[in-house]
Coordinates of all heavy atoms in Angstrom, one line a residue:
Chain N
L34 N 1.3 -19.4 -23.3 CA 0.0 -19.0 -22.9 C -0.1 -18.8 -21.4 O -0.7 -17.8 -20.9 CB -1.0 -20.0 -23.3 CG -2.1 -19.6 -24.3 CD1 -3.2 -20.6 -24.3 CD2 -2.7 -18.2 -23.9
A35 N 0.5 -19.7 -20.6 CA 0.4 -19.6 -19.2 C 1.0 -18.3 -18.7 O 0.6 -17.7 -17.7 CB 1.1 -20.8 -18.5
K36 N 2.1 -17.8 -19.3 CA 2.7 -16.6 -18.9 C 1.7 -15.4 -18.9 O 1.7 -14.6 -18.0 CB 3.9 -16.2 -19.8 CG 5.1 -17.1 -19.6 CD 6.2 -16.7 -20.6 CE 7.4 -17.7 -20.6 NZ 8.4 -17.4 -21.7
V37 N 0.9 -15.4 -20.0 CA 0.0 -14.3 -20.1 C -1.2 -14.4 -19.1 O -1.5 -13.5 -18.4 CB -0.6 -14.3 -21.5 CG1 -1.5 -13.0 -21.7 CG2 0.5 -14.3 -22.6
F38 N -1.7 -15.6 -18.9 CA -2.8 -15.8 -17.9 C -2.2 -15.6 -16.5 O -3.0 -15.1 -15.7 CB -3.3 -17.2 -18.1 CG -4.3 -17.4 -19.2 CD1 -4.1 -18.4 -20.2 CD2 -5.4 -16.5 -19.3 CE1 -5.0 -18.5 -21.2 CE2 -6.3 -16.6 -20.3 CZ -6.1 -17.6 -21.3
K39 N -1.0 -15.9 -16.3 CA -0.4 -15.7 -15.0 C -0.4 -14.2 -14.7 O -0.6 -13.8 -13.6 CB 1.0 -16.3 -14.9 CG 1.6 -16.3 -13.5 CD 2.9 -17.1 -13.5 CE 2.8 -18.5 -13.8 NZ 4.1 -19.3 -13.8
A40 N -0.1 -13.4 -15.7 CA 0.0 -12.0 -15.5 C -1.4 -11.5 -15.2 O -1.6 -10.5 -14.5 CB 0.5 -11.3 -16.8
L41 N -2.4 -12.1 -15.7 CA -3.8 -11.7 -15.4 C -4.3 -12.3 -14.0 O -5.4 -11.9 -13.5 CB -4.8 -12.2 -16.5 CG -4.6 -11.5 -17.8 CD1 -5.5 -12.2 -18.9 CD2 -4.9 -10.0 -17.7
G42 N -3.5 -13.2 -13.5 CA -4.0 -13.9 -12.3 C -3.7 -13.2 -11.0 O -3.4 -13.8 -9.9
D43 N -3.8 -11.9 -11.0 CA -3.6 -11.1 -9.8 C -4.5 -9.9 -9.8 O -4.6 -9.2 -10.8 CB -2.1 -10.6 -9.7 CG -1.8 -9.8 -8.5 OD1 -2.2 -8.6 -8.5 OD2 -1.2 -10.3 -7.5
P44 N -5.2 -9.7 -8.6 CA -6.2 -8.7 -8.6 C -5.7 -7.3 -8.9 O -6.4 -6.5 -9.6 CB -6.7 -8.8 -7.1 CG -6.3 -10.1 -6.6 CD -5.1 -10.5 -7.4
I45 N -4.5 -7.0 -8.4 CA -4.0 -5.7 -8.6 C -3.7 -5.5 -10.1 O -4.1 -4.5 -10.7 CB -2.6 -5.5 -7.9 CG1 -2.8 -5.8 -6.4 CG2 -2.1 -4.1 -8.1 CD1 -3.8 -4.8 -5.7
R46 N -3.1 -6.5 -10.8 CA -2.8 -6.4 -12.2 C -4.1 -6.3 -13.0 O -4.2 -5.6 -14.0 CB -2.0 -7.5 -12.6 CG -0.5 -7.4 -12.1 CD 0.4 -8.3 -12.9 NE 0.2 -9.7 -12.6 CZ 0.8 -10.4 -11.6 NH1 1.6 -9.7 -10.8 NH2 0.6 -11.7 -11.4
L47 N -5.2 -7.0 -12.6 CA -6.4 -6.9 -13.3 C -7.0 -5.5 -13.2 O -7.5 -5.0 -14.2 CB -7.4 -7.9 -12.8 CG -7.3 -9.4 -13.3 CD1 -8.4 -10.2 -12.6 CD2 -7.4 -9.4 -14.8
R48 N -6.9 -5.0 -12.0 CA -7.4 -3.6 -11.9 C -6.6 -2.6 -12.7 O -7.2 -1.7 -13.3 CB -7.5 -3.2 -10.4 CG -8.6 -3.9 -9.6 CD -8.5 -3.6 -8.2 NE -8.8 -2.2 -7.9 CZ -8.5 -1.6 -6.8 NH1 -7.9 -2.3 -5.8 NH2 -8.7 -0.3 -6.6
L49 N -5.3 -2.8 -12.6 CA -4.4 -1.9 -13.4 C -4.8 -2.0 -14.9 O -5.0 -1.0 -15.6 CB -3.0 -2.3 -13.2 CG -2.3 -1.8 -11.9 CD1 -1.0 -2.5 -11.8 CD2 -2.2 -0.3 -11.9
L50 N -4.9 -3.2 -15.4 CA -5.2 -3.4 -16.8 C -6.6 -2.8 -17.2 O -6.7 -2.1 -18.2 CB -5.3 -4.9 -17.1 CG -5.4 -5.3 -18.6 CD1 -4.2 -4.8 -19.4 CD2 -5.7 -6.7 -18.8
S51 N -7.6 -3.0 -16.3 CA -8.9 -2.4 -16.6 C -8.9 -0.9 -16.6 O -9.6 -0.2 -17.3 CB -9.9 -3.0 -15.7 OG -9.8 -2.5 -14.4
M52 N -8.1 -0.4 -15.7 CA -8.0 1.1 -15.6 C -7.3 1.6 -16.9 O -7.7 2.7 -17.4 CB -7.2 1.5 -14.4 CG -7.9 1.3 -13.1 SD -6.9 1.7 -11.6 CE -6.9 3.5 -11.7
I53 N -6.3 0.9 -17.3 CA -5.6 1.4 -18.5 C -6.5 1.2 -19.8 O -6.6 2.1 -20.6 CB -4.3 0.6 -18.7 CG1 -3.3 0.9 -17.6 CG2 -3.7 0.8 -20.1 CD1 -2.1 0.0 -17.5
A54 N -7.1 0.0 -19.8 CA -7.9 -0.3 -21.1 C -9.1 0.6 -21.2 O -9.6 0.9 -22.3 CB -8.3 -1.8 -21.0
S55 N -9.7 0.9 -20.1 CA -11.0 1.6 -20.2 C -10.8 3.1 -20.2 O -11.8 3.9 -20.3 CB -11.9 1.3 -18.9 OG -11.3 1.7 -17.8
R56 N -9.6 3.6 -20.3 CA -9.4 5.0 -20.2 C -9.7 5.6 -21.6 O -9.1 5.3 -22.6 CB -7.9 5.2 -19.9 CG -7.6 6.7 -19.7 CD -8.3 7.2 -18.5 NE -7.6 8.3 -17.8 CZ -7.3 8.3 -16.5 NH1 -7.7 7.3 -15.8 NH2 -6.6 9.3 -16.0
A57 N -10.5 6.6 -21.5 CA -10.8 7.4 -22.8 C -9.5 8.1 -23.2 O -8.7 8.5 -22.4 CB -11.8 8.5 -22.5
G58 N -9.2 8.0 -24.5 CA -7.9 8.6 -24.9 C -6.9 7.5 -25.1 O -5.9 7.6 -25.8
G59 N -7.1 6.3 -24.4 CA -6.3 5.2 -24.7 C -5.1 5.0 -23.9 O -4.4 4.0 -24.0
E60 N -4.8 6.0 -23.1 CA -3.5 5.9 -22.3 C -3.7 6.5 -20.9 O -4.5 7.4 -20.7 CB -2.4 6.5 -23.0 CG -2.6 7.8 -23.5 CD -1.4 8.3 -24.3 OE1 -0.8 7.5 -25.0 OE2 -1.1 9.5 -24.3
V61 N -2.9 6.1 -20.0 CA -2.9 6.5 -18.6 C -1.5 6.8 -18.1 O -0.6 6.1 -18.4 CB -3.5 5.5 -17.7 CG1 -3.9 6.1 -16.4 CG2 -4.7 4.8 -18.3
C62 N -1.4 7.9 -17.4 CA -0.2 8.2 -16.7 C 0.0 7.4 -15.4 O -1.0 7.2 -14.7 CB -0.1 9.7 -16.3 SG 1.3 10.2 -15.4
V63 N 1.1 6.9 -15.2 CA 1.4 6.1 -14.0 C 1.0 6.9 -12.8 O 0.5 6.3 -11.8 CB 2.9 5.7 -13.9 CG1 3.2 5.1 -12.5 CG2 3.3 4.8 -15.0
C64 N 1.1 8.2 -12.8 CA 0.8 9.0 -11.7 C -0.7 9.0 -11.4 O -1.1 9.4 -10.3 CB 1.3 10.4 -11.9 SG 0.5 11.2 -13.4
D65 N -1.5 8.5 -12.3 CA -2.9 8.4 -12.1 C -3.2 7.0 -11.5 O -4.3 6.8 -10.9 CB -3.7 8.6 -13.4 CG -3.7 10.1 -13.7 OD1 -3.6 11.0 -12.8 OD2 -3.8 10.4 -15.0
L66 N -2.3 6.1 -11.8 CA -2.6 4.7 -11.4 C -2.2 4.4 -9.9 O -2.9 3.9 -9.1 CB -1.8 3.7 -12.3 CG -2.3 3.7 -13.7 CD1 -1.3 2.8 -14.6 CD2 -3.7 3.2 -13.9
T67 N -1.0 4.9 -9.6 CA -0.4 4.6 -8.3 C -1.3 5.0 -7.1 O -1.5 4.2 -6.2 CB 1.0 5.2 -8.2 OG1 1.8 4.8 -9.3 CG2 1.7 4.8 -6.9
P68 N -1.8 6.2 -7.1 CA -2.6 6.6 -5.9 C -3.9 5.9 -5.8 O -4.6 6.0 -4.8 CB -2.8 8.1 -6.2 CG -2.6 8.3 -7.6 CD -1.7 7.3 -8.1
A69 N -4.3 5.1 -6.8 CA -5.6 4.3 -6.7 C -5.4 3.1 -5.9 O -6.4 2.4 -5.6 CB -6.0 4.0 -8.2
F70 N -4.2 2.8 -5.5 CA -4.0 1.6 -4.7 C -3.3 1.9 -3.4 O -2.6 2.9 -3.3 CB -3.1 0.6 -5.5 CG -3.8 0.1 -6.8 CD1 -3.6 0.9 -7.9 CD2 -4.5 -1.0 -6.9 CE1 -4.1 0.5 -9.1 CE2 -5.1 -1.4 -8.1 CZ -4.9 -0.6 -9.2
E71 N -3.5 1.0 -2.4 CA -2.8 1.2 -1.2 C -1.5 0.4 -1.2 O -1.3 -0.4 -0.3 CB -3.7 0.8 0.0 CG -5.0 1.7 0.1 CD -5.6 1.6 1.4 OE1 -5.3 0.6 2.2 OE2 -6.5 2.4 1.8
L72 N -0.8 0.6 -2.2 CA 0.5 -0.2 -2.3 C 1.6 0.9 -2.6 O 1.3 2.0 -3.1 CB 0.4 -1.2 -3.5 CG -0.6 -2.3 -3.3 CD1 -0.7 -3.1 -4.5 CD2 0.0 -3.2 -2.1
S73 N 2.8 0.4 -2.4 CA 3.9 1.3 -2.6 C 4.1 1.6 -4.1 O 3.7 0.8 -5.0 CB 5.2 0.7 -2.0 OG 5.6 -0.4 -2.8
Q74 N 4.8 2.6 -4.5 CA 5.0 2.9 -5.9 C 5.9 1.8 -6.5 O 5.6 1.4 -7.7 CB 5.7 4.3 -6.0 CG 6.2 4.7 -7.3 CD 7.6 4.3 -7.6 OE1 8.4 4.4 -6.7 NE2 7.9 3.9 -8.8
P75 N 6.9 1.3 -5.9 CA 7.7 0.2 -6.6 C 6.8 -1.0 -6.9 O 7.0 -1.7 -7.9 CB 8.7 -0.1 -5.5 CG 8.9 1.2 -4.8 CD 7.6 1.8 -4.7
T76 N 5.9 -1.3 -6.0 CA 5.0 -2.4 -6.2 C 4.1 -2.3 -7.5 O 4.0 -3.2 -8.3 CB 4.1 -2.7 -5.0 OG1 5.0 -3.0 -3.9 CG2 3.2 -3.9 -5.2
I77 N 3.5 -1.1 -7.6 CA 2.7 -0.8 -8.8 C 3.6 -0.9 -10.0 O 3.3 -1.5 -11.0 CB 2.1 0.6 -8.7 CG1 1.1 0.6 -7.5 CG2 1.3 0.9 -10.0 CD1 0.0 -0.4 -7.5
S78 N 4.8 -0.3 -9.9 CA 5.7 -0.4 -11.0 C 6.1 -1.8 -11.4 O 6.1 -2.1 -12.6 CB 7.0 0.4 -10.7 OG 7.9 0.5 -11.8
H79 N 6.2 -2.6 -10.5 CA 6.5 -4.0 -10.7 C 5.4 -4.7 -11.4 O 5.6 -5.5 -12.4 CB 6.8 -4.7 -9.4 CG 7.0 -6.2 -9.5 ND1 6.2 -7.1 -8.9 CD2 7.9 -6.9 -10.2 CE1 6.6 -8.4 -9.2 NE2 7.6 -8.3 -10.0
H80 N 4.2 -4.5 -11.0 CA 3.0 -5.1 -11.6 C 2.8 -4.6 -13.1 O 2.5 -5.4 -14.0 CB 1.7 -4.8 -10.8 CG 1.6 -5.6 -9.6 ND1 1.6 -7.0 -9.6 CD2 1.4 -5.2 -8.3 CE1 1.5 -7.4 -8.3 NE2 1.4 -6.4 -7.5
L81 N 3.1 -3.3 -13.3 CA 3.0 -2.8 -14.7 C 4.1 -3.5 -15.5 O 3.8 -3.8 -16.7 CB 3.2 -1.3 -14.6 CG 2.1 -0.5 -14.1 CD1 2.5 1.0 -13.9 CD2 0.8 -0.6 -15.0
K82 N 5.2 -3.7 -15.0 CA 6.3 -4.4 -15.7 C 5.8 -5.8 -16.2 O 6.1 -6.2 -17.3 CB 7.5 -4.5 -14.9 CG 8.7 -5.1 -15.6 CD 9.9 -5.2 -14.7 CE 11.2 -5.7 -15.4 NZ 12.3 -5.8 -14.5
L83 N 5.2 -6.5 -15.2 CA 4.7 -7.9 -15.6 C 3.7 -7.9 -16.7 O 3.7 -8.7 -17.6 CB 4.2 -8.6 -14.3 CG 5.2 -8.9 -13.2 CD1 4.6 -9.7 -12.1 CD2 6.4 -9.7 -13.8
L84 N 2.8 -6.9 -16.6 CA 1.8 -6.8 -17.6 C 2.4 -6.5 -19.0 O 2.0 -7.0 -20.0 CB 0.7 -5.7 -17.3 CG -0.3 -6.0 -16.1 CD1 -1.1 -4.8 -15.8 CD2 -1.2 -7.2 -16.6
R85 N 3.4 -5.7 -18.9 CA 4.1 -5.3 -20.2 C 4.9 -6.5 -20.7 O 4.8 -6.8 -21.9 CB 5.1 -4.1 -19.9 CG 5.6 -3.5 -21.2 CD 6.1 -2.1 -20.9 NE 7.0 -2.0 -19.8 CZ 8.3 -2.3 -19.9 NH1 8.8 -2.7 -21.1 NH2 9.1 -2.3 -18.8
Q86 N 5.5 -7.2 -19.9 CA 6.3 -8.4 -20.3 C 5.3 -9.5 -20.9 O 5.7 -10.3 -21.7 CB 7.1 -9.0 -19.2 CG 8.3 -8.1 -18.8 CD 9.1 -8.7 -17.6 OE1 8.6 -9.4 -16.8 NE2 10.4 -8.3 -17.6
A87 N 4.1 -9.4 -20.4 CA 3.1 -10.4 -20.9 C 2.6 -10.0 -22.3 O 1.8 -10.7 -22.9 CB 2.0 -10.6 -19.9
G88 N 2.9 -8.8 -22.7 CA 2.4 -8.3 -24.0 C 1.1 -7.7 -23.9 O 0.4 -7.5 -25.0
L89 N 0.6 -7.4 -22.7 CA -0.8 -6.9 -22.6 C -0.8 -5.4 -22.7 O -1.8 -4.8 -23.1 CB -1.4 -7.3 -21.2 CG -1.7 -8.8 -21.2 CD1 -1.8 -9.3 -19.7 CD2 -3.1 -9.0 -21.9
I90 N 0.3 -4.7 -22.3 CA 0.3 -3.2 -22.4 C 1.7 -2.8 -22.9 O 2.6 -3.6 -22.9 CB 0.0 -2.6 -21.0 CG1 1.1 -3.1 -20.0 CG2 -1.4 -2.9 -20.5 CD1 0.9 -2.4 -18.6
D91 N 1.8 -1.5 -23.2 CA 3.1 -1.0 -23.5 C 3.1 0.4 -23.0 O 2.1 0.9 -22.5 CB 3.3 -1.0 -25.0 CG 4.8 -0.9 -25.4 OD1 5.6 -0.8 -24.4 OD2 5.1 -0.9 -26.6
C92 N 4.3 1.0 -23.0 CA 4.4 2.3 -22.3 C 5.4 3.2 -23.0 O 6.2 2.7 -23.9 CB 4.8 2.2 -20.9 SG 6.5 1.5 -20.6

Side-chain angles (χ1 to χ4, degrees):
Chain N
L34 238 194
K36 288 180 189 170
V37 186
F38 282 125
K39 190 175 297 181
L41 293 174
D43 180 279
I45 304 298
R46 287 195 290 271
L47 278 181
R48 288 177 62 197
L49 283 169
L50 186 68
S51 73
M52 289 176 72
I53 294 171
S55 64
R56 188 63 149 233
E60 51 183 34
V61 196
C62 176
V63 174
C64 62
D65 288 331
L66 295 173
T67 306
F70 301 85
E71 297 196 343
L72 291 172
S73 69
Q74 174 267 322
T76 298
I77 299 298
S78 186
H79 173 243
H80 284 305
L81 289 171
K82 182 182 185 180
L83 292 186
L84 286 172
R85 192 159 52 82
Q86 290 181 333
L89 287 159
I90 59 177
D91 201 359
C92 66

